[in-house]
C-alpha cells in the first residue's frame, strides 16, 4: 500500500513539473513607452530584407489548447557599421496570418477570427482590413547576461510600445548577407489593445479565456544593397 501511495505521489509530481515547465513564460517582454528610433549614419552599410527567406512564428494558447502559426515579412532594411547592427525597420504583413496546426474549416475559421475578416468579429483580434501592417523599429542594441538584446518600437493596431528581445545576428563570409534570429519571447497582446477573451480585461470569462501572452520567434535575412 505504501509503495502504491509513493508511486502515485511520484506521478503527480512529474505531472505538476511538466505543466509548470510547459506554462513557463519564455523571455517575457515588458511593454514600455515608445522611444526615439535610431537613424542610420551616412557611413553605414544598408541591407534590404529578403522577405522570401524571412519568417515569423507564433504560438497562442488558451486553457485547453495551443495554436501555432506564421506571419510573413513584407519589407524592411537594416544598417550596419562593420559587423555591428546599427538601425533597422521591419514591416510585417498582418494579412498573412496563417494557422499551421489546423486544417480545413477549422483553419479557415480561426484565421478569419484572428484577421477580423469574419462578420461581427472584425476587432476581436487584429482587424487587418483597418491595420494591414505592423512595424518594428530599432531603438537600441545592448549586451547583457551574455546575450544581445534588441530594443525597438513594435507598432500593432495603431499602438506603439517599446520591447526588448534577445537576438543573435551574423553575416556570411563575404558580408553580403545579414541574418538576425530571436530566441522565443512573449508579448502581452493587451498592451496593444488586442483584448478579446482576456481575463485581465473581462471579469466574467471563467475558463473561457484566451491567454494574454503570445509567443514569437523570428528569423530575418537581409542582403547587402
Amino acid at each position: 500500500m505504501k509503495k502504491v501511495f509513493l508511486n502515485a505521489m511520484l506521478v503527480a509530481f512529474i505531472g505538476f513539473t511538466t505543466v509548470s515547465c510547459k506554462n513557463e513564460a519564455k523571455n517575457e517582454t515588458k511593454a514600455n513607452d515608445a522611444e526615439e528610433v535610431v537613424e542610420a549614419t551616412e557611413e553605414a552599410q544598408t541591407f534590404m530584407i529578403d522577405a522570401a527567406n524571412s519568417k515569423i512564428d507564433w504560438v497562442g494558447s488558451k486553457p485547453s489548447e495551443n495554436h501555432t502559426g506564421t506571419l510573413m515579412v513584407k519589407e524592411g532594411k537594416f544598417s550596419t557599421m562593420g559587423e555591428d547592427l546599427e538601425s533597422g525597420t521591419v514591416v510585417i504583413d498582418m494579412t498573412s496570418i496563417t494557422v499551421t496546426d489546423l486544417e480545413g474549416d477549422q483553419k479557415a475559421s480561426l484565421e478569419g477570427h484572428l484577421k477580423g475578416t469574419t462578420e461581427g468579429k472584425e476587432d476581436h483580434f487584429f482587424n487587418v482590413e483597418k491595420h494591414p501592417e505592423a512595424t518594428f523599429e530599432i531603438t537600441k542594441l545592448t549586451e547583457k547576461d551574455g546575450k544581445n538584446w534588441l530594443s525597438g518600437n513594435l507598432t500593432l493596431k495603431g499602438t506603439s510600445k517599446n520591447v526588448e528581445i534577445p537576438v543573435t545576428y551574423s553575416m556570411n563570409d563575404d558580408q553580403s548577407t545579414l541574418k538576425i534570429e530571436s530566441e522565443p519571447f512573449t508579448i502581452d497582446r493587451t498592451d496593444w489593445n488586442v483584448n478579446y477573451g482576456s481575463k485581465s480585461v473581462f471579469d466574467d470569462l471563467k475558463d473561457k479565456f484566451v491567454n494574454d501572452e503570445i509567443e514569437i520567434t523570428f528569423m530575418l535575412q537581409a542582403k547587402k544593397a
Side-chain angles (χ1 to χ4, degrees):
M1 185 67 180
K2 184 176 181 181
K3 183 176 181 180
V4 172
F5 177 77
L6 289 174
N7 286 342
M9 290 294 290
L10 179 60
V11 170
F13 176 77
I14 292 172
F16 175 79
T17 304
T18 302
V19 170
S20 298
C21 292
K22 182 178 179 181
N23 292 335
E24 185 178 354
K26 296 180 178 180
N27 294 314
E28 183 177 358
T29 64
K30 181 179 179 181
N32 297 306
D33 291 339
E35 299 179 4
E36 185 176 356
V37 174
V38 177
E39 299 293 339
T41 58
E42 292 184 4
E43 299 82 7
Q45 176 64 57
T46 300
F47 289 79
M48 305 303 295
I49 285 183
D50 180 0
N53 288 303
S54 300
K55 66 173 184 174
I56 302 171
D57 296 316
W58 58 264
V59 181
S61 61
K62 53 185 180 180
S64 59
E65 59 189 341
N66 291 352
H67 291 296
T68 61
T70 61
L71 278 166
M72 300 298 293
V73 175
K74 185 175 182 180
E75 60 186 7
K77 63 181 180 180
F78 297 104
S79 297
T80 64
M81 287 293 289
E83 295 186 355
D84 295 327
L85 185 62
E86 185 179 65
S87 65
T89 300
V90 182
V91 181
I92 303 163
D93 180 6
M94 295 303 296
T95 69
S96 71
I97 296 173
T98 301
V99 175
T100 56
D101 66 300
L102 298 175
E103 296 179 350
D105 292 343
Q106 287 185 315
K107 173 182 170 71
S109 176
L110 182 53
E111 288 177 352
H113 195 184
L114 294 172
K115 292 178 183 180
T117 54
T118 302
E119 186 175 357
K121 299 180 179 180
E122 290 83 359
D123 207 39
H124 281 191
F125 286 100
F126 299 105
N127 197 341
V128 302
E129 183 174 342
K130 186 175 180 180
H131 305 284
E133 296 177 353
T135 60
F136 181 81
E137 300 175 283
I138 294 175
T139 57
K140 184 170 55 177
L141 182 68
T142 57
E143 185 177 343
K144 60 183 179 181
D145 303 325
K147 296 181 181 181
N148 290 313
W149 293 84
L150 188 64
S151 298
N153 296 332
L154 175 61
T155 302
L156 189 62
K157 290 188 72 175
T159 298
S160 296
K161 295 286 185 178
N162 195 269
V163 294
E164 189 178 50
I165 302 164
V167 300
T168 59
Y169 63 94
S170 60
M171 296 185 191
N172 63 350
D173 290 341
D174 63 2
Q175 297 191 350
S176 63
T177 301
L178 171 68
K179 180 184 288 187
I180 303 174
E181 298 179 88
S182 77
E183 294 183 13
F185 64 95
T186 63
I187 62 171
D188 183 337
R189 60 189 174 91
T190 63
D191 288 321
W192 288 266
N193 298 314
V194 184
N195 295 330
Y196 177 80
S198 169
K199 64 180 180 180
S200 65
V201 177
F202 304 101
D203 297 327
D204 57 349
L205 297 175
K206 297 182 179 179
D207 62 346
K208 305 295 183 182
F209 65 89
V210 179
N211 288 329
D212 292 345
E213 294 76 22
I214 302 174
E215 182 183 304
I216 300 172
T217 311
F218 62 75
M219 189 283 291
L220 306 173
Q221 190 161 295
K223 296 180 179 179
K224 184 180 289 187

